[in-house]
Amino acid sequence: MTTHSSTAEVSKEPDRAEDRKGIDEITILWISEGMSCDGDTVSLTAADQPSIEDLVLGLIPGLPKVNLVNKVLSPSLGGEDFLAPYRAAVRGELGSPFILVIEGSIPNQNVIEGDGYWTSFGNDPETGEPQTLNWWIDQLAPKAWAVVAAGTCATFGGIHAMSGNPTGCMGLADYLGWDYTSQAGLPIVNVPGCPIQPENFMETLVWVLYHAAGSAPPPPLDHMLRPQWLFGKTVHEGCDRGSYYEQADFAKDYNSPKCLVKTGCWGPVVNCNVPKRGWMAGIGGCPNVGGICIGCTMPGFPDAFMPFMDEPPGGTLSSLAIKPYGAVIRRLRGMTNELVNHEPKWRHNKRKLTTGYDPHWRP
Amino acid sequence: MTTTEARATDRKPPQLVDMSWDPITRIIGNLGIYTKIDFANREVVECHSTSSLFRGYSVFMKGKDPRDAGFITSRICGICGDNHTTCSDYAQQMAYGVKPPPLADYIVNLGEAAEYIFDHTIFQDNLVFVDFCEAMVKSTNPSLLSRAERTDAPRGETHGYRTIAEIMKAFNPFEGEVYKEALKVSRITREMFCLMEGRHVHPSTLYPGGVGTMPQPTAFTDYLSRLMRVIDFVKKAVAMNDDVFDFFYEALPGYEEVGRRRTLLGCWGAFQDPKTVDYRYETMNTWGKEMYVTPGIIVDGELVTNNLVDINLGLRILLGSSYYEDWVNEQPFVTHDPLGNPIDMRHPWNQTTVPVPQKRDFDDKYSWVMSPRWLDPRTGDHLALDTGGGPLARLWSTALSGIVDTPYVKATGHSVRISLPKGESLPETTLEWRIPKWSNTIERDRARPYFVAYAAAMALQFLEEAMGLVRAGETKVFENYEVPDEAIGCGFHEAVRGVLSHHLVIKDKKIANYHPYPPTPWNASPRDMYGTPGPYEDAVQGQPIFEENGPDDFKGVDIMRTVRSFDPCLPCGVHMYVGKGKTLTTLHSPTYGANHG
């Protein structure tokens, strides 16, 4: 029987691009003027799966045309020219739907008495006075097709929302409300990480763009609005030092390739895929390279995890509990490992064939 | 006092226009530049730089466990977080009295080398060079572009572009060949970084007392093979940059005046020599000079000092145009350094941050950036040192000091020679950076690709030394310690864009005071209590304008080139805050390329 190849039949299949009822062109308005270090933008440029230039140049099939407006990458010299698309969006005249990306935590303006503000983005053209980040969010969030929070500062407040901070800052969902929905009916899409793992962010953004194109459902999010497939497991579950934990074999200081729980690693209870995915292109990470997990993707970061270099409070009990089990398992595995670390007996250069080969096995 | 020398010209009646750029693009952080431009005489008359972000690190660090300082201060900066962690670890090691094993120092050096290569590449090629690309030059200096089309590129054999305009075209954002390749190279070099320090931006494997990086041979092999993949790109970048910058001098006589200041450069040194460094304050002058980038202060071409103790003692944080209450009447944290030298109340060890939010007034207080200065003991002047965007000061200080002598990098007293091995398409190459005639915009930018080459060359040496230790079985990377009840420490390092210091005071095992001084407060500082403008202001103020557009369609490219030549990175300005601003009549806010990108 020959395979019947029929290009004619294939061409009758509905063309996804033509068939879908989606958005053809979308603008990404990225504001990094939160309490931030701009590390999420910098991290974004590390992504290669896909890369930001692939996205901007339209090299990913099935996505809408993407206009990226980001201060760090903008070819503009700055000022009003750079702000033009943001101002157009405020007036409702941008000409395409937009995704609002917020980087950095959101300050509390209400704690300030009198003049002043914590962070601004350009000046008010009428008065020449600085225009606050909060003003921009208040204007843009109700009009946004989707809202994405990039990094732990924007998602949960992050390092700048640490206890003792004078700005009273918080995450975007704390500011807009956890039940906020965008024009597309989507909740805020939170991509935590200090900074974002480059590919985690790009993959999420691309999913949102496929959704915009009409070819994908909204990205599945958990109760903290994180993409489920990225943050559904713990660091420990993807860590190549995890089996040392199971064998109750713990590093006493940082000179060791063993489990780092006793030297400050929070991996067993932190939702993050970095040890599994690596930092970029599969390279780097945290515990797998020798870094303790300090919980930088978590809502309680950093206060809940400090002091970072001490054993987490729960670690003492759980590592004690696993000790007898781990000691037995380690010994048994050691014995089996010894056993399987030998050449099978039939490999030799003697005259007799001892491999078990039987020339008559198939009559 | 302004630090720029006055220029004699035939003056026409001024035609003054207020111009502002806020926010400035293609930098990290929030920066605004406010100028008065005299279009009749085609020069900038006045410049104020301001930022609009306050986060309060020195406030919320207090009372925390000092070992957390490196993890927290990393988050000051989203591009050179590792420089902060490293500098914090240096300061903590001094306070705890701990010396990491040599292999840990090499691993840190290798991480930092990868960081310099990555950061300078992405900044120069993807952010700075957009100001020199075909699309930009076409819209600001069309006649220059047509000349560039007719001008052969002298180093075409190395970089492969026939004319200067072809190079400019390769720098067009998102579309040009070099722009795209630079993004790729910046990923490979970040992978090198991740091999040594776990993650980029905020590293995961650096600790006070050493590193956690597993020193397997594989980590070094993976690093070396990536370094060799980018080595020819580095050689080409130097050649391309030299061609474009030489063309600017030649085609636009007088361009050396753009962004020119007195030579007032500071470098705090980078790349410790594990064989001599013990991180003790008492011996800091000795091991400081052994660093593979020599620390130094250079004033008008003269080397004032290489001693980190002198550098430390001369630090002053001045107020003047900043929104702070003075702290001179507070109790000092540190009265004497460990050598018995008195410590000034305006020294970072004694600083207390007392913010006073108020309206922006360019005639009075207009910035939350304080003004770091260095007290020149010879003259009593508080010098507004700049960092030359990092590389200019580093190369200048290293070259003039003539101390560094390694198989790959040699300082000659007037130049730095950098040898790079054979790559895929280019032979072994020795590059020579010579001390330039001016400290200006073009030389700041030119130094950057040379320093990429420098860092790549030093990385080769660190790899050899580190592998030597691994092969000898010396694989210890961390040394334990106790946090003392009371201690002080300071770290001196180079962030990518220049001088970085961290000053730490511990009381009751907690942080009592912590002040990081990154390069950006040095460069972006406002006028101080003596009226001395900060380096951005000083470099822009008085500079000529070469752009062909008039006031109505003015883009301000020469001004932006100057500001960006310093590698502005505003998250560094940890104290920055701008009060509700006073209205400054802005007649025109320049625009560029709304239709581009």
Side-chain angles (χ1 to χ4, degrees):
Chain A
M1 182 185 150
T2 57
T3 308
H4 178 67
S5 102
S6 167
T7 48
E9 274 180 32
V10 171
S11 69
K12 280 184 203 155
E13 301 266 332
D15 183 303
R16 289 180 69 189
E18 284 172 21
D19 194 45
R20 63 169 191 250
K21 291 186 184 64
I23 291 166
D24 299 328
E25 182 170 354
I26 200 159
T27 301
I28 297 173
L29 295 180
W30 187 302
I31 299 182
S32 58
E33 269 71 5
M35 306 300 169
S36 93
C37 66
D38 285 20
D40 301 303
T41 288
V42 173
S43 211
L44 162 90
T45 65
D48 206 13
Q49 300 168 180
S51 71
I52 188 67
E53 61 268 29
D54 287 350
L55 195 68
V56 171
L57 296 172
L59 298 183
I60 302 163
L63 294 189
K65 179 178 188 290
V66 173
N67 310 310
L68 174 71
V69 190
N70 171 295
K71 183 184 65 199
V72 176
L73 297 169
S74 166
S76 139
L77 282 161
E80 282 308 308
D81 172 56
F82 170 68
L83 292 171
Y86 296 88
R87 297 217 190 278
V90 167
R91 292 190 307 267
E93 295 167 4
L94 188 59
S96 77
F98 67 92
I99 298 173
L100 178 64
V101 179
I102 295 290
E103 177 174 358
S105 39
I106 316 305
N108 186 346
Q109 285 296 120
N110 298 324
V111 300
I112 299 175
E113 285 175 21
D115 291 334
Y117 59 89
W118 301 119
T119 179
S120 75
F121 182 49
N123 295 325
D124 183 334
E126 296 295 314
T127 65
E129 304 211 359
Q131 213 141 29
T132 64
L133 169 75
N134 303 62
W135 182 88
W136 285 102
I137 293 175
D138 294 346
Q139 297 295 313
L140 292 173
K143 299 188 177 77
W145 186 84
V147 173
V148 178
T152 299
C153 284
T155 54
F156 308 130
I159 207 103
H160 305 106
M162 177 189 307
S163 72
N165 84 84
T167 55
C169 64
M170 66 199 98
L172 186 62
D174 299 322
Y175 182 75
L176 286 176
W178 284 83
D179 54 354
Y180 162 90
T181 51
S182 68
Q183 285 290 321
L186 297 172
I188 298 169
V189 178
N190 276 339
V191 188
C194 184
I196 47 169
Q197 196 274 4
E199 276 124 19
N200 279 354
F201 184 82
M202 284 302 285
E203 196 171 77
T204 307
L205 185 64
V206 167
W207 188 316
V208 172
L209 290 168
Y210 277 127
H211 180 53
S215 57
L221 307 178
D222 68 12
H223 75 293
M224 297 304 287
L225 307 180
R226 296 171 288 204
Q228 284 174 8
W229 77 97
L230 298 173
F231 296 93
K233 288 182 180 163
T234 63
V235 163
H236 196 62
E237 284 158 351
C239 181
D240 61 12
R241 294 180 185 227
S243 48
Y244 285 103
Y245 186 103
E246 188 194 19
Q247 292 167 187
D249 205 355
F250 299 103
K252 293 182 185 67
D253 65 23
Y254 305 97
N255 285 301
S256 167
K258 297 175 179 173
C259 175
L260 289 164
V261 159
K262 289 198 164 297
T263 52
C265 185
W266 283 79
V269 294
V270 167
N271 294 86
C272 176
N273 63 344
V274 161
K276 188 79 179 165
R277 191 169 204 174
W279 189 251
M280 49 189 296
I283 291 159
C286 302
N288 47 330
V289 186
I292 49 175
C293 170
I294 60 171
C296 79
T297 55
M298 299 295 278
F301 177 76
D303 306 77
F305 305 95
M306 289 164 72
F308 297 123
M309 289 172 70
D310 286 346
E311 183 177 9
T316 321
L317 193 64
S318 55
S319 59
L320 194 72
I322 199 149
K323 237 176 182 170
Y325 167 81
V328 172
I329 290 292
R330 192 172 1 139
R331 180 153 306 176
L332 290 175
R333 282 181 184 164
M335 285 157 60
T336 314
N337 176 260
E338 182 69 21
L339 207 65
V340 292
N341 258 319
H342 290 287
E343 282 278 23
K345 62 181 186 318
W346 58 79
R347 293 178 195 162
H348 56 76
N349 60 358
K350 294 171 194 160
R351 294 194 66 84
K352 196 179 173 200
L353 186 65
T354 55
T355 64
Y357 168 73
D358 178 357
H360 307 297
W361 68 277
R362 188 165 56 181
Chain B
M1 167 189 120
T2 127
T3 43
T4 309
E5 299 151 40
R7 291 179 198 94
T9 45
D10 298 328
R11 311 293 302 180
K12 293 179 196 152
Q15 179 202 351
L16 285 180
V17 182
D18 286 336
M19 294 252 178
S20 69
W21 294 261
D22 190 356
I24 305 275
T25 46
R26 279 179 279 120
I27 67 163
I28 306 291
N30 315 14
L31 171 68
I33 291 287
Y34 294 77
T35 64
K36 285 190 198 315
I37 296 174
D38 177 355
F39 277 93
N41 294 297
R42 304 202 67 78
E43 68 171 40
V44 184
V45 177
E46 198 178 279
C47 174
H48 291 86
S49 81
T50 179
S51 172
S52 59
L53 173 65
F54 175 78
R55 298 174 301 171
Y57 275 81
S58 50
V59 181
F60 59 68
M61 295 273 289
K62 284 195 181 187
K64 306 280 154 71
D65 189 313
R67 294 171 301 156
D68 289 347
F71 298 91
I72 300 171
T73 55
S74 174
R75 271 77 185 176
I76 288 173
C77 183
I79 190 149
C80 63
D82 60 302
N83 300 141
H84 281 281
T85 316
T86 300
C87 192
S88 178
D89 288 347
Y90 290 170
Q92 290 179 64
Q93 281 151 199
M94 185 178 283
Y96 309 157
V98 61
K99 155 80 181 85
L103 186 55
D105 283 325
Y106 282 123
I107 287 174
V108 170
N109 285 353
L110 283 166
E112 296 299 79
E115 172 67 38
Y116 293 131
I117 304 172
F118 146 70
D119 190 335
H120 287 317
T121 299
I122 200 169
F123 184 74
Q124 185 88 338
D125 295 350
N126 298 116
L127 307 180
V128 163
F129 245 102
V130 174
D131 286 337
F132 293 87
C133 78
E134 183 221 18
M136 183 68 78
V137 174
K138 191 191 262 172
S139 77
T140 56
N141 296 69
S143 68
L144 185 71
L145 184 63
S146 56
R147 183 167 170 166
E149 279 158 1
R150 299 188 308 269
T151 307
D152 286 342
R155 296 168 186 83
E157 235 170 70
T158 303
H159 55 63
Y161 294 99
R162 202 174 49 82
T163 64
I164 299 295
E166 275 183 21
I167 303 177
M168 291 173 166
K169 207 169 174 185
F171 278 106
N172 279 345
F174 286 105
E175 284 153 6
E177 262 176 28
V178 174
Y179 184 96
K180 284 194 279 193
E181 201 187 345
L183 276 176
K184 286 189 184 133
V185 165
S186 83
R187 285 176 198 132
I188 298 169
T189 48
R190 268 181 282 191
E191 288 168 17
M192 287 159 57
F193 181 90
C194 291
L195 288 164
M196 293 297 132
E197 303 195 7
R199 312 186 317 158
H200 191 275
V201 173
H202 305 309
S204 57
T205 66
L206 299 188
Y207 305 101
V211 301
T213 315
M214 278 302 97
Q216 302 286 358
T218 314
F220 301 102
T221 311
D222 288 358
Y223 186 104
L224 175 64
S225 53
R226 281 173 178 75
L227 178 59
M228 292 314 295
R229 266 160 66 197
V230 304
I231 211 88
D232 283 351
F233 177 85
V234 172
K235 295 171 197 161
K236 286 179 191 169
V238 171
M240 257 184 286
N241 279 260
D242 274 342
D243 276 357
V244 171
F245 295 137
D246 291 351
F247 169 76
F248 263 75
Y249 280 146
E250 181 198 307
L252 297 172
Y255 211 83
E256 66 276 4
E257 292 302 316
V258 170
R260 186 179 161 203
R261 297 186 78 210
R262 267 178 76 191
T263 309
L264 293 170
L265 295 169
C267 167
W268 297 168
F271 299 142
Q272 303 289 356
D273 180 355
K275 294 186 274 300
T276 53
V277 66
D278 61 8
Y279 296 100
R280 290 171 63 232
Y281 188 88
E282 290 82 350
T283 50
M284 187 160 67
N285 282 346
T286 313
W287 55 259
K289 274 197 267 269
E290 295 295 316
M291 281 196 259
Y292 290 111
V293 168
T294 315
I297 289 171
I298 293 139
V299 175
D300 299 327
E302 201 182 316
L303 180 69
V304 181
T305 182
N306 292 126
N307 288 338
L308 285 179
V309 171
D310 296 345
I311 288 172
N312 181 44
L313 292 173
L315 297 178
R316 295 290 180 275
I317 309 304
L318 302 186
L319 300 175
S321 307
S322 325
Y323 307 133
Y324 293 91
E325 226 170 79
D326 210 338
W327 58 85
V328 280
N329 296 324
E330 305 274 328
Q331 282 297 312
F333 289 93
V334 180
T335 54
H336 291 82
D337 74 359
L339 290 166
N341 299 303
I343 296 297
D344 193 86
M345 200 55 204
R346 292 193 183 283
H347 189 277
W349 263 328
N350 284 329
Q351 184 184 337
T352 301
T353 305
V354 191
V356 186
Q358 54 197 284
K359 285 208 173 206
R360 183 168 69 196
D361 180 355
F362 286 113
D363 294 324
D364 184 18
K365 295 186 192 300
Y366 59 91
S367 185
W368 278 92
V369 189
M370 295 192 193
S371 300
R373 300 287 186 255
W374 191 73
L375 179 63
D376 189 340
R378 307 167 309 167
T379 58
D381 287 342
H382 288 80
L383 301 177
L385 299 179
D386 71 69
T387 72
L392 186 67
R394 287 204 278 276
L395 290 169
W396 206 310
S397 176
T398 303
L400 201 55
S401 305
I403 300 171
V404 173
D405 185 0
T406 75
Y408 296 98
V409 174
K410 275 188 176 56
T412 65
H414 61 273
S415 72
V416 176
R417 274 195 214 111
I418 305 155
S419 298
L420 296 176
K422 183 166 97 66
E424 203 181 331
S425 61
L426 293 172
E428 183 182 351
T429 306
T430 296
L431 302 162
E432 186 165 18
W433 179 89
R434 294 180 187 82
I435 292 176
K437 277 188 255 178
W438 312 283
S439 174
N440 66 6
T441 296
I442 280 191
E443 296 308 331
R444 271 175 227 118
D445 284 341
R446 188 203 299 272
R448 204 164 286 122
Y450 276 94
F451 195 77
V452 169
Y454 189 110
M458 286 312 307
L460 287 164
Q461 187 190 324
F462 299 144
L463 275 173
E464 286 167 14
E465 306 253 10
M467 277 305 285
L469 289 174
V470 171
R471 288 175 187 135
E474 290 179 42
T475 54
K476 199 174 178 202
V477 288
F478 177 79
E479 192 67 57
N480 234 325
Y481 50 85
E482 279 287 316
V483 176
D485 286 342
E486 297 207 351
I488 58 171
C490 58
F492 286 93
H493 187 38
E494 285 281 300
V496 180
R497 50 212 47 78
V499 299
L500 175 61
S501 59
H502 280 215
H503 283 81
L504 161 72
V505 181
I506 300 171
K507 282 195 173 138
D508 302 326
K509 293 188 192 289
K510 301 278 184 219
I511 293 172
N513 206 15
Y514 200 106
H515 278 92
Y517 268 93
T520 295
W522 286 88
N523 293 330
S525 57
R527 285 150 174 79
D528 64 26
M529 58 200 272
Y530 302 108
T532 310
Y536 292 169
E537 299 179 334
D538 182 44
V540 169
Q541 204 157 274
Q543 83 164 38
I545 296 295
F546 284 84
E547 182 177 335
E548 290 163 29
N549 298 317
D552 294 336
D553 50 0
F554 187 65
K555 315 282 192 285
V557 72
D558 302 304
I559 295 167
M560 293 301 108
R561 281 181 189 139
T562 293
V563 173
R564 290 202 187 93
S565 71
F566 286 98
D567 198 343
C569 186
L570 274 293
C572 274
V574 285
H575 310 293
M576 287 174 189
Y577 180 104
V578 167
K580 215 172 179 183
K582 174 194 148 197
T583 306
L584 174 82
T585 315
T586 305
L587 298 183
H588 183 73
S589 258
T591 64
Y592 162 76
N595 57 349
H596 191 91

